[in-house]
Amino acid sequence: MLSHLLKATGVGADDNGNKKMKSEKIKGTVVLMKKNVLDFNDFQASFLDGFHELLGKRVSLQLISAQHGDTANGLQGKLGKPAYLENWISTETSVAAGESRFSVDVDWEEEIGTPGAILIKNNHHSEFYLKTVTLEHVPGHGRIHFVCNSWVYPDKKYEKDRVFFTNKTYLPHEMPETLRKYREEELKALRGNGEGELQEWDRVYDYAYYNDLGDPDKDPEYARPVLGGSAKYPYPRRGRTGRPPTKSDPNTESRIPLLLSLNIYVPRDERFGHLKMSDFLAYALKSIVQFIVPELEDLTDGTRNEFDSFEDVLELYYGGVKLPSGPLLDNLIKNIPFEMLKEIFRTDGANLLQYPVPQVIQDSKTAWRTDEEFAREMLAGVDPVIIRLLEEFPPKSKLDPKVYGNQNSAITKEHIEHNLEGLTVEEALSGNRLFILNHHDTLMPYLRRINSTTTKTYASRTVLFLRDDGTLKPLAIELSLPHPNGDIFGAVSKVYTPAEHGVEGSIWQLAKAYVAVNDSGVHQLISHWLNTHAAIEPFVIATNRQLSVVHPIYKLLHPHFRDTMNINAFARQILINGGGILELTVFPAKYAMEMSSVIYKDWNLLDQALTTDLKKRGVAVDDKNSPNGLRLLIKDYPYAVDGLEIWFAIEKWVRDYCLFYYKTDEMVQQDPELQAWWKELREEGHGDKKNEPWWPKMQTREELIDSCTIIIWVASALHAAVNFGQYPYAGYLPNRPTISRRFMPEQGTSEYAELESNPDKVFLKTITAQLQTLLGISLIEILSRHSTDEVYLGQRDTPDWTSDEPPLAAFEEFGKRLSVIEKRIVEMNKDDQLKNRVGPVNVPYTLLYPTSEGGLTGKGIPNSVSI
C-alpha cells in the first residue's frame, strides 16, 4: 500500500516500501571555445576537427546544491554525480565564430534540490574557454543559467576545483549557507599567496609597484626609478607578475624579451579575446617595435630624417612611404600573416607604409592652422580636459618661489587689450570671458632636464578670449625657460601675439606648435595614461580580490574592467618602458613616466567626477535653474555638453541599481566584502594616497553611488574622450606635434633668415622628425581603432548577467537614454550656431557618441579602458 502511495506522489520506493529519493535526467547546454580556435593559424579551420577529444569523459560537470548541505563535507552544498560533455551540437548556426555547443545530460536528484553552483573538471591536456552553462527544466525551478566567461585549465593545474555560480546576485549575508564556503574559497584563490612568479594558468590578482619599466641589465642608461611606494615617486599599483629582480638592481623587476611580449602575465581571464588579438594587437605592436624600427632607421638616416615640405607629410596618406625591397619586406612577410599585413600595413606592392587620411585634413589641408581651430581643439579635440577659466590677470604660478623664483606670467594688458572686442581686461575677467591653457607649472620643474636631451622646448601659457559667437580666440602665448643662472632666478619668458603674415605670422605658427607639443605630452602622460589607464587598474585588482562574482557591485563594475590589465601590461612592455615608444615619440623622453608620478601627487578620486572637474576648472558653476543644476560658462563646449549627458545617464543607472540591493545605509556599512574592497583600494591599490582626507568613507549609499559612477565614467567615457580622437586629430602630426627639436629662431641668426625664406621647412625641422612621426602615427592608429568585438556603454556581452528583473529593466532604460543622447549629438553637430562642434576643419564632435562599429571611427564609448 505504502509503495503505491509513494508512486502516486512521484516519490520512488523499492519493493520493500523503503522511500527512494526522486531523480531524473535534465538537459543542459555548455558553450565553450577550444584553445586551438584561438590560434591564428587554425582560425579558418573547421571547428569540428579535434573536438572529439573533449568528449569521452574528459570534461565533467557536477551540480552543487543551494539548499542541502553535506554533513561529510562541512555542510557545503551537496554534490551531484559527474555528467560529461556529449555530442557537439553542429546544427547551431547562431553561435559566434569559434564557439561550440555541447549537450550534457545531468542526473538531478531530489537531495540536490535547487542547484546554486556547478563544479567543472577539465581532464584534458589543454585549456578551454567556458562561456555559459544552461540547465533546462530543473524540477521546481525551470531554467537555470550560469555565466562563466573563464578559462578552465587542466585540473592538475589547480589546487582548488573550479566552481561557477548561477547568475543570481547575492550580498554576502544573503548567500545560501551551503554556498558560502565556495564563495570564500574562490576569493582566496584569486588573491593568491603573494609569492613566486605567476604562470599563465594562475588566476591571481595582486599588486606591485611600477618597478619593471627600466632595464638596467641591458644598459645603465635604461635604468628608471621605481614608481610607487615612496613619497618622492607615488603611483597607483599595477598587477603583480612576480618575475625575479634584475642582476644590477634588486629593486627593479626583470623584463621579458620583446618577442615574448604577448606572454606577459595577467590573470588568464584578463587577456584579450581572440577577435581582438587577431584584429591588431598581437602583430601590430610586435611588428612596429621589432621589425620596422631598425629598418626605418636605415631608411630615414640622418640626411633623410626630415620632411622638406607639407607635401612630403601628405605623401604618407596620399602616396605612402616607398620602402625598398629587401630585409624589411622579408621580415614583415615572415613574421606577420598575410591577412594581418593587408590590414595593418595596407601593402599594395609599391607603397608599403600608407596611412589612412586623418579626419583633420580630409576636408581641408590647411584649416588646422587657423587660430579658431587651434582654440576649438581645447574644447572638442583629443585633450579637452585642461582648459580653465582665468581668474586673475596676469596669471600667477603656484610653484614655490623659494625654489623657482618668480614664475608669474609676463603677459601684460598691452599684449591683449586691443583684441578683447571693446572690453577692458577687468571687464573680460569679471564677465568670465578669459580662459587659459596652462602648461607652465607642470613642466617648469622638469624643463632643464628635458632640454638636456634632444628635446628643446618651453613651458607655456596660452590666454584665450570667449567671443560673442561662442568660439575662443587665442590672445597671447607665453613661452618660458628656466633662468640660465639657476632656478631661483625665476623664468625667462617671451610673449607672442597673433599675426597672419610675414615672419611674424611664421613665428606665431611656431608658438602654437610649442603649445601643441606641450599639450600632446600632457595628454598622453596625464589625461590619458595616468588618469584613465593607471588610475583604473587598482580598481580592477581590488574588485576581483574582494568582491565575489555574485556580489552586486562586482556585477555592476566588471564590464568596465575588460582588457584593462592586458593593455596596461603591454604598455609596460612596449610603450612606457625605458627606451619604449612613448619615450621615443613624446617630448619629456626618459623623464616622461617620472613626471606623471609627480602629477599623481595631486590626484584625487573625487576630482575625476565630470561635474567636480568642470567646476574645479572654473568652466561650470552651480545653478539651480540649469539642467542638472550646472551651468557651463562656455555654452558650446562639446566635450562638456555631451559628457554631462553621459555622466548623468551613468549616475541614474548606478543609483537605480545600487538602491535595489542596498535598502539602507546600514546595509552598506555591514557588507564585509564591500568594506574590504574599499579598504584595500585605499590602502593597497592607491596605497601612496591612503592618508588623503578626501577618500569617501563608504558608509552611505550616496558614497557608494558616487564612487561607482566615477569609476564607470573614468573607464568608459573619459577614456573614450581622450583616446579615440588621437588618430583623427594627431594622425596628422603637424597639427599635434609630440616633440620640438629647436628653440624659436632669434632675429639675426641663420635660422631666422631661413624662417623668412622657407617658413614651412623651419616648422617641420622644429617639430617631430620623420622616424618618430612614422612610429607615432603607427602607434596612435592602433590605439584609435575599435576591435570588432568591442562592447559599448549600455551594452553587455551576455544578456543573462543577472537573474534580477528590476536591474535588467534599469539597464535597458540606461541603454534607451544613451540612444536619445546619440540622436541629440547628431542634431547638435548639424546646428550652424554651435561653431565648436564642427569647426574650420569640418570634423563633427562624436567622441562621446556611445556606439560605433569596429575600426578607425572617431566615435564610440567602449565600456572599459580596453586599448
Side-chain angles (χ1 to χ4, degrees):
M1 181 69 189
L2 178 62
S3 64
H4 290 305
L5 273 173
L6 288 169
K7 275 178 187 155
T9 56
V11 178
D14 60 21
D15 291 338
N16 300 324
N18 297 321
K19 182 178 168 186
K20 256 196 345 192
M21 294 307 256
K22 183 170 131 192
S23 81
E24 59 185 83
K25 292 268 187 212
I26 51 177
K27 289 273 177 218
T29 307
V30 176
V31 179
L32 57 76
M33 293 175 94
K34 231 182 122 253
K35 181 195 174 195
N36 68 354
V37 169
L38 309 188
D39 294 344
F40 295 105
N41 315 336
D42 297 346
F43 202 60
Q44 301 304 321
S46 154
F47 304 126
L48 191 51
D49 296 343
F51 269 101
H52 56 84
E53 75 260 33
L54 274 178
L55 307 175
K57 306 211 166 181
R58 293 298 188 104
V59 178
S60 70
L61 175 158
Q62 288 172 276
L63 301 181
I64 300 174
S65 173
Q67 285 176 304
H68 305 299
D70 182 352
T71 43
N73 193 15
L75 288 178
Q76 289 189 68
K78 234 176 185 11
L79 273 180
K81 293 177 187 158
Y84 298 93
L85 293 198
E86 296 160 14
N87 322 324
W88 180 47
I89 306 172
S90 54
T91 51
E92 187 64 61
T93 50
S94 62
V95 182
E99 290 177 5
S100 305
R101 281 180 184 235
F102 292 88
S103 60
V104 60
D105 281 337
V106 183
D107 286 320
W108 176 86
E109 292 162 328
E110 195 174 8
E111 56 184 4
I112 292 287
T114 304
I118 48 174
L119 189 151
I120 298 275
K121 279 196 168 150
N122 175 2
N123 294 312
H124 190 54
H125 65 274
S126 66
E127 68 272 24
F128 57 81
Y129 185 71
L130 182 63
K131 290 198 74 165
T132 57
V133 177
T134 309
L135 303 176
E136 305 291 352
H137 312 302
V138 178
H141 204 89
R143 186 169 178 270
I144 296 185
H145 196 67
F146 301 80
V147 176
C148 307
N149 287 336
S150 183
W151 283 94
V152 179
Y153 274 77
D155 203 42
K156 60 178 185 290
K157 298 284 189 196
Y158 296 124
E159 287 178 22
K160 287 279 176 193
D161 291 323
R162 294 300 311 274
V163 169
F164 297 93
F165 299 100
T166 66
N167 63 346
K168 280 194 178 324
T169 305
Y170 295 109
L171 286 166
H173 73 275
E174 297 165 341
M175 192 80 176
E177 196 64 52
T178 55
L179 299 177
R180 282 187 188 181
K181 190 92 187 297
Y182 290 108
R183 179 172 179 153
E184 286 159 18
E185 293 286 352
E186 174 69 359
L187 284 172
K188 210 187 273 180
L190 293 170
R191 289 183 205 128
N193 60 10
E195 292 168 13
E197 184 168 355
L198 296 166
Q199 304 301 324
E200 66 167 271
W201 52 84
D202 285 319
R203 305 166 58 226
V204 171
Y205 294 79
D206 204 354
Y207 302 98
Y209 301 140
Y210 278 76
N211 64 348
D212 62 343
L213 302 179
D215 194 354
D217 287 355
K218 181 177 174 184
D219 189 303
E221 172 193 335
Y222 290 106
R224 295 292 180 271
V226 173
L227 303 183
S230 67
K232 187 177 183 185
Y233 297 123
Y235 222 62
R237 302 298 183 256
R238 63 164 174 97
R240 185 176 85 82
T241 66
R243 293 195 304 269
T246 56
K247 296 184 182 73
S248 35
D249 176 12
N251 294 320
T252 296
E253 186 172 281
S254 58
R255 295 179 56 75
I256 56 175
L258 270 180
L259 271 167
L260 299 177
S261 294
L262 296 176
N263 300 339
I264 187 165
Y265 174 79
V266 289
R268 188 66 174 95
D269 292 345
E270 300 298 329
R271 302 253 315 239
F272 290 152
H274 69 295
L275 282 176
K276 181 160 190 165
M277 273 295 198
S278 64
D279 268 359
F280 50 83
L281 250 146
Y283 293 110
L285 284 184
K286 226 158 96 172
S287 55
I288 284 174
V289 175
Q290 284 140 232
F291 310 124
I292 295 194
V293 174
E295 306 281 351
L296 283 185
E297 277 173 340
D298 295 343
L299 192 70
T300 56
D301 60 30
T303 54
R304 256 314 284 140
N305 198 15
E306 297 291 351
F307 294 109
D308 291 327
S309 65
F310 285 113
E311 283 67 39
D312 266 11
V313 183
L314 291 171
E315 269 296 291
L316 291 175
Y317 316 101
Y318 294 101
V321 181
K322 284 193 166 46
L323 295 181
S325 57
L328 172 62
L329 277 177
D330 297 346
N331 248 336
L332 283 174
I333 288 158
K334 199 163 70 218
N335 288 286
I336 302 178
F338 182 64
E339 65 277 10
M340 298 296 305
L341 251 183
K342 277 196 306 210
E343 179 53 37
I344 298 159
F345 297 108
R346 282 164 294 283
T347 172
D348 56 2
N351 296 333
L352 186 67
L353 280 181
Q354 187 184 5
Y355 296 90
V357 180
Q359 279 175 284
V360 76
I361 53 166
Q362 280 177 12
D363 192 65
S364 156
K365 307 288 176 283
T366 55
W368 64 273
R369 300 196 84 167
T370 60
D371 287 359
E372 186 184 331
E373 180 59 23
F374 170 70
R376 184 191 80 91
E377 288 183 24
M378 300 175 198
L379 304 173
V382 72
D383 194 23
V385 294
I386 305 292
I387 190 169
R388 52 196 316 135
L389 183 70
L390 184 60
E391 297 180 44
E392 55 182 352
F393 187 87
K396 286 200 171 67
S397 169
K398 291 194 169 73
L399 292 173
D400 183 353
K402 292 199 223 32
V403 179
Y404 295 104
N406 178 12
Q407 292 287 339
N408 293 335
S409 177
I411 302 173
T412 63
K413 285 184 184 182
E414 288 69 37
H415 287 123
I416 66 170
E417 202 144 62
H418 62 283
N419 236 336
L420 296 178
E421 298 181 358
L423 300 179
T424 64
V425 167
E426 288 72 21
E427 287 167 339
L429 267 179
S430 62
N432 296 329
R433 301 284 289 273
L434 292 178
F435 294 83
I436 185 168
L437 188 78
N438 195 339
H439 293 309
H440 183 93
D441 287 4
T442 312
L443 300 182
M444 187 53 87
Y446 271 86
L447 207 49
R448 207 181 291 277
R449 278 175 284 174
I450 288 169
N451 284 340
S452 72
T453 68
T454 52
T455 295
K456 300 289 175 269
T457 195
Y458 302 90
S460 65
R461 292 182 177 104
T462 307
V463 174
L464 305 109
F465 176 69
L466 179 63
R467 304 173 65 168
D468 291 335
D469 67 0
T471 61
L472 288 172
K473 102 174 150 183
L475 300 171
I477 291 172
E478 177 182 30
L479 300 179
S480 307
L481 288 169
H483 198 285
N485 298 338
D487 291 350
I488 191 65
F489 294 101
V492 178
S493 302
K494 210 163 175 187
V495 178
Y496 301 89
T497 53
E500 281 183 34
H501 306 293
V503 74
E504 289 79 16
S506 304
I507 282 174
W508 174 244
Q509 289 296 338
L510 276 175
K512 289 193 294 183
Y514 289 114
V515 172
V517 166
N518 287 348
D519 201 61
S520 292
V522 168
H523 163 254
Q524 282 297 16
L525 291 170
I526 314 303
S527 312
H528 184 203
W529 167 259
L530 176 67
N531 288 345
T532 65
H533 285 260
I536 280 291
E537 186 159 354
F539 291 89
V540 183
I541 300 170
T543 302
N544 281 282
R545 285 169 56 87
Q546 298 298 344
L547 297 180
S548 161
V549 292
V550 296
H551 194 288
I553 301 304
Y554 177 96
K555 291 192 179 190
L556 173 69
L557 296 178
H558 184 251
H560 303 289
F561 299 150
R562 180 183 192 234
D563 293 345
T564 303
M565 288 185 77
N566 204 167
I567 194 65
N568 287 1
F570 276 157
R572 300 198 313 272
Q573 183 62 14
I574 293 172
L575 302 183
I576 61 175
N577 56 306
I581 295 180
L582 197 78
E583 288 193 357
L584 290 174
T585 57
V586 175
F587 76 87
K590 67 187 237 186
Y591 301 108
M593 290 300 287
E594 191 180 315
M595 235 177 81
S596 72
S597 150
V598 172
I599 305 295
Y600 177 66
K601 289 178 181 177
D602 295 324
W603 183 85
N604 174 334
L605 176 70
L606 299 180
D607 287 351
Q608 311 309 306
L610 177 62
T611 46
T612 308
D613 168 58
L614 294 172
K615 287 192 281 190
K616 200 167 178 186
R617 290 191 283 122
V619 292
V621 291
D622 288 317
D623 177 2
K624 61 178 188 297
N625 298 319
S626 296
N628 298 309
L630 207 63
R631 179 167 55 84
L632 290 172
L633 297 185
I634 304 174
K635 284 194 179 62
D636 181 15
Y637 183 171
Y639 163 74
V641 170
D642 298 359
L644 286 168
E645 296 257 354
I646 301 281
W647 168 267
F648 286 109
I650 293 171
E651 202 251 10
K652 167 86 167 69
W653 149 239
V654 170
R655 179 174 298 281
D656 291 347
Y657 183 87
C658 290
L659 295 182
F660 175 75
Y661 292 104
Y662 293 93
K663 304 298 186 200
T664 64
D665 289 345
E666 287 71 33
M667 288 180 74
V668 171
Q669 296 157 19
Q670 289 160 15
D671 179 341
E673 285 184 12
L674 188 76
Q675 294 302 326
W677 170 67
W678 198 246
K679 181 178 195 292
E680 186 171 284
L681 258 172
R682 202 175 61 240
E683 295 180 4
E684 299 277 345
H686 281 280
D688 298 332
K689 312 285 287 179
K690 65 183 173 197
N691 297 322
E692 297 282 0
W694 46 255
W695 279 102
K697 301 284 184 282
M698 206 47 79
Q699 295 296 296
T700 65
R701 291 177 296 168
E702 280 307 311
E703 286 178 319
L704 176 63
I705 291 162
D706 290 349
S707 302
C708 290
T709 303
I710 292 170
I711 294 165
I712 293 172
W713 162 260
V714 170
S716 60
L718 178 60
H719 178 257
V722 297
N723 184 71
F724 293 102
Q726 289 186 89
Y727 196 81
Y729 285 106
Y732 182 64
L733 229 74
N735 184 48
R736 297 273 302 170
T738 57
I739 290 175
S740 51
R741 298 173 288 148
R742 308 184 349 168
F743 290 123
M744 184 73 88
E746 295 291 340
Q747 218 161 346
T749 61
S750 57
E751 287 87 352
Y752 196 86
E754 190 180 16
L755 187 65
E756 289 178 298
S757 63
N758 193 344
D760 287 355
K761 189 161 185 180
V762 172
F763 185 95
L764 292 165
K765 270 187 179 173
T766 303
I767 64 164
T768 321
Q770 195 172 357
L771 170 65
Q772 281 97 330
T773 295
L774 295 174
L775 254 182
I777 60 181
S778 297
L779 172 67
I780 62 173
E781 186 196 345
I782 293 161
L783 298 185
S784 304
R785 277 179 178 276
H786 292 297
S787 70
T788 44
D789 64 348
E790 193 56 85
V791 186
Y792 297 94
L793 196 62
Q795 301 175 353
R796 293 259 173 163
D797 56 6
T798 171
D800 296 307
W801 58 276
T802 179
S803 58
D804 293 327
E805 289 299 330
L808 287 172
F811 187 65
E812 192 180 340
E813 195 54 44
F814 175 47
K816 285 180 184 159
R817 193 163 171 181
L818 293 174
S819 297
V820 171
I821 293 170
E822 288 191 338
K823 291 189 181 78
R824 286 187 55 179
I825 288 172
V826 172
E827 281 162 21
M828 286 189 289
N829 286 345
K830 289 178 186 161
D831 185 341
D832 295 340
Q833 299 299 302
L834 302 174
K835 295 188 184 314
N836 296 326
R837 293 205 68 94
V838 174
V841 291
N842 197 19
V843 178
Y845 188 73
T846 53
L847 292 173
L848 288 172
Y849 184 92
T851 57
S852 174
E853 52 284 356
L856 209 53
T857 63
K859 63 177 184 178
I861 303 176
N863 268 327
S864 60
V865 178
S866 61
I867 184 63

